[in-house]
């Protein structure tokens, strides 16, 4: 064909391509007090104490971002702004609804669609088969799009006992920059392997995981032109088979269908988000109700990442665990140290380093579950200045260059000061999944931390210092190892082998002797402390502790009777 014919064909294809339309028919507005003519704006309200958050909520303003504790962004009208200022709040206008309407544009084609991302990950995995693989982590809730994980490491097709990090993007559909940042880093690591010694050593020694696009359904609403402000996933809330219904589409606080994936994690889930299904902060009907959060959860449970970044927009700030009614996180010192290092390596558009601040523990956010349930030091990185979600595509690379040193810091830090080791059975050498405590940092605020089930490996990022390690497992004696010195360089290694309980060893001194008999008698008849666990004193294995266990022990110790054993 001649050039003109090509142009004609392309023109015809473009002309007849279906133009995606918003599906707004049959939609009864859920929030009756919403009034479009009542023009709103996004305002940053600064908090000087945590109680001010409650005061603010009483004012009836919509809270747009409550991740932070130093300030919150709220959506309100002029009257409400005046009222807040009269009450003494410092409130700066970030953007008005009129300004946002003026910004409307179709998404720049430089941003990847789901299909383009899929093809790109495919070709990268084919190009670098020894160090890269693409893996399905599950499918999206509504439209069953495959959620892609991408792993970079030496011997990529095997699970290796290496420290692991995770980067994810696009929990919130319109925060598309996270996808691009993940993809840029993927390419830099693959390109640099073998030629850049630093990258080569990271890829050799670390398992680096990416989920560039956690929310492909919501993202499709953005790339298909349904709404540039779509936030949630694609769940058909009212079950009418009309997808992506919205009340308005020019404001990220608009009421829409879907679940806010970053309120759907199972850690203080019921304390955060909104129970209102149309609300932009809707947390879902139950923790992990959405298959997107299930996909990332299952990956994290299996691989136990040490460090992770979840990308959002906007704010140019690093938010980390946590503020919980005045009680800092048990790992506050090292969490803060890493937050400082991360933020100081990332550069804002105006040239300053990123800010960093604590996030609230009281919400089912990704970082709260990753840290609180797994002990992964998880950081929310809000890229882009206010109030940007989707800057022109030619800015993607410059945003990446400004954020990249922070991303690389994860790879550096995960191989630096920490305590790590493998836990085994002292007799069989079987790898054990056991609870690991560092007594100086112990707190019931977080769930018990365990070694992983793949390698019996625990890893704990720490500041240099002296620590006491304790390892606990049902049926085994607790091991306590004190005076462990963590230096400023590479990880300190402390393996541990656990010894199984000896039945009858009521006082837990690891030998059977007359003192165990005395311990049982004291417990039964003189109000002495109970054996812990009780079953260890059950010498005759009759499922209760009684005087017959003391007799069994005496028979064994002095009269050649059978040993206690269950
Ligand atoms: Zn977000």
């Amino acid at each position: 064909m001649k050039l003109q014919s090509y142009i004609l064909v392309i023109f015809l294809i473009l002309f007849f391509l279906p133009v995606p339309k918003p599906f707004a028919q049959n939609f009864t507005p859920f929030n009756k007090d919403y009034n479009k003519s009542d023009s709103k704006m996004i305002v940053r309200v600064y908090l000087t104490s945590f109680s001010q958050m409650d005061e603010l909520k009483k004012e009836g303003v919509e809270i747009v971002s409550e991740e932070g504790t130093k300030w919150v962004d709220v959506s309100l009208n002029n009257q409400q702004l005046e009222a807040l200022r009269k009450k003494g709040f410092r409130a700066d206008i970030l953007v008005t609804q009129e300004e946002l309407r003026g910004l409307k544009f179709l998404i720049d084609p430089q941003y990847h669609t789901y299909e383009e991302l899929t093809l790109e990950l495919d070709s990268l995995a084919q190009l670098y088969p020894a160090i890269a693989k693409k893996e399905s982590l599950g499918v999206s809730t509504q439209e069953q799009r495959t959620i892609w994980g991408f792993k970079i490491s030496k011997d990529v097709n095997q699970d290796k006992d290496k420290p692991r990090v995770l980067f994810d993007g696009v929990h919130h559909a319109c925060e598309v920059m996270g996808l691009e940042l993940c993809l840029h880093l993927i390419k830099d690591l693959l390109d640099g392997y073998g030629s850049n010694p630093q990258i080569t050593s990271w890829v050799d020694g670390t398992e680096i995981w990416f989920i560039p696009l956690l929310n492909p359904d919501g993202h499709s609403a953005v790339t298909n032109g349904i709404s540039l402000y779509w936030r949630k996933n694609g769940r058909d809330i009212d079950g009418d088979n009309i997808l992506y219904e919205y009340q308005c589409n020019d404001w990220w606080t608009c009421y829409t269908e879907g679940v806010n994936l970053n309120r759907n994690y199972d850690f203080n889930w019921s304390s955060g988000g909104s129970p209102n299904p149309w609300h932009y902060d809707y947390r879902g009907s139950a923790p992990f109700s959405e298959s997107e959060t299930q996909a990332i959860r299952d990956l994290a449970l299996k691989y136990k990442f040490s460090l992770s970044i979840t990308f959002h927009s906007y704010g140019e700030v690093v938010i980390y665990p946590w503020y919980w009614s005045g009680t800092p996180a048990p790992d506050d010192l090292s969490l803060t140290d890493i937050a400082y290092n991360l933020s100081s390596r990332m550069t804002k558009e105006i040239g300053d380093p990123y800010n960093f601040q604590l996030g609230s523990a009281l919400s089912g956010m990704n970082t709260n579950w990753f840290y609180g349930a797994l002990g992964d030091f998880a950081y929310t990185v809000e890229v882009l200045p206010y109030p940007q979600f989707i800057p022109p595509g030619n800015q993607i690379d410059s945003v990446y260059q400004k954020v990249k040193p922070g991303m690389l810091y994860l790879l550096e830090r995960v191989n630096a000061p920490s305590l790590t080791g493998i836990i085994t059975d002292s007799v069989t050498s079987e790898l054990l999944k056991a609870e690991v405590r560092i007594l100086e940092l112990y707190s019931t605020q977080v769930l018990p931390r365990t070694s992983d089930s793949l390698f019996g490996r625990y890893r704990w990022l720490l500041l240099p210092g002296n620590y006491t390690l304790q390892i606990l497992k049902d049926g085994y004696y607790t091991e306590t190892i004190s005076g462990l010195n963590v230096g400023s360089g590479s990880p300190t290694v402390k393996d541990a082998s656990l010894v199984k309980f000896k039945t009858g060893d009521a006082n837990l001194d690891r030998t059977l002797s007359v003192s165990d008999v005395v311990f049982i008698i004291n417990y039964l008849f003189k109000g002495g402390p109970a054996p812990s666990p009780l079953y260890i004193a059950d010498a005759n294995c009759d499922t209760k502790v009684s005087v017959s266990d003391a007799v069994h022990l005496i028979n064994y110790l002095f009269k050649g009777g059978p040993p206690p054993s269950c």
Side-chain angles (χ1 to χ4, degrees), residues 67 171-172 175 231 262 311-313 382:
E67 284 93 345
H171 272 72
H172 293 146
E175 300 171 15
R231 182 173 183 78
N262 204 28
F311 280 110
H312 285 256
S313 307
E382 299 271 4

Side-chain angles (χ1 to χ4, degrees), residues 110-305:
Q110 266 186 262
Y111 287 95
H112 286 77
T113 63
Y114 171 77
E115 291 74 17
E116 288 165 348
L117 172 72
T118 304
L119 291 175
E120 183 117 23
L121 293 178
D122 261 343
S123 66
L124 288 170
Q126 277 166 26
L127 217 54
Y128 300 92
I131 54 166
K133 81 163 173 175
K134 166 170 158 275
E135 187 174 309
S136 162
L137 306 180
V139 296
S140 59
T141 299
Q142 189 63 40
E143 298 201 81
Q144 319 273 290
R145 290 183 173 89
T146 301
I147 298 163
W148 297 116
F150 196 84
K151 179 187 172 191
I152 297 181
S153 192
K154 191 184 173 190
D155 301 320
V156 71
N157 290 307
Q158 298 158 42
D159 292 329
K160 291 280 187 171
D161 182 14
K162 302 177 187 177
R164 303 182 192 98
V165 299
L166 172 67
F167 299 90
D168 77 69
V170 200
H171 272 72
H172 293 146
C174 67
E175 300 171 15
V176 297
M177 188 59 85
L179 182 165
E180 308 299 332
L181 297 175
C182 286
L183 204 48
H184 269 68
L185 184 61
I186 287 173
K187 288 181 192 164
D188 271 358
L189 294 175
L190 296 177
D191 280 353
Y193 187 75
S195 57
N196 177 322
Q198 180 64 81
I199 286 179
T200 307
S201 112
W202 282 330
V203 171
D204 283 345
T206 321
E207 294 200 335
I208 308 161
W209 277 88
F210 296 85
I211 308 176
L213 177 49
L214 184 71
N215 178 8
D217 289 353
H219 187 259
S220 78
V222 177
T223 54
N224 289 343
I226 292 172
S227 166
L228 287 179
Y229 296 105
W230 197 271
R231 182 173 183 78
K232 302 194 280 181
N233 71 356
R235 181 180 279 280
D236 180 17
I237 288 293
D238 53 9
D240 63 358
N241 288 322
I242 304 169
L243 303 186
Y244 306 104
E245 291 175 286
Y246 55 73
Q247 191 177 45
C248 52
N249 69 350
D250 55 0
W251 197 237
W252 62 90
T253 58
C254 284
Y255 277 34
T256 72
E257 296 198 289
V259 172
N260 185 333
L261 298 178
N262 204 28
R263 301 291 183 274
N264 189 239
Y265 287 81
D266 190 10
F267 197 86
N268 291 334
W269 170 84
S270 59
S271 311
S274 167
N276 171 353
W278 294 93
H279 195 278
Y280 51 84
D281 258 352
Y282 178 48
R283 63 190 176 215
S285 57
F288 289 125
S289 57
E290 305 309 288
S291 57
E292 293 87 353
T293 47
Q294 290 164 19
I296 189 171
R297 172 197 66 189
D298 294 347
L299 187 77
L301 286 173
K302 182 170 178 192
Y303 290 117
K304 289 192 139 299
F305 299 99

Side-chain angles (χ1 to χ4, degrees), residues 30 32 61 77 110 151 163 169 232 234-235 286 291 413 513 532 539:
F30 191 91
K32 296 199 176 58
V61 297
N77 60 28
Q110 266 186 262
K151 179 187 172 191
K232 302 194 280 181
R235 181 180 279 280
S291 57
R413 183 61 184 89
S513 69
S532 171

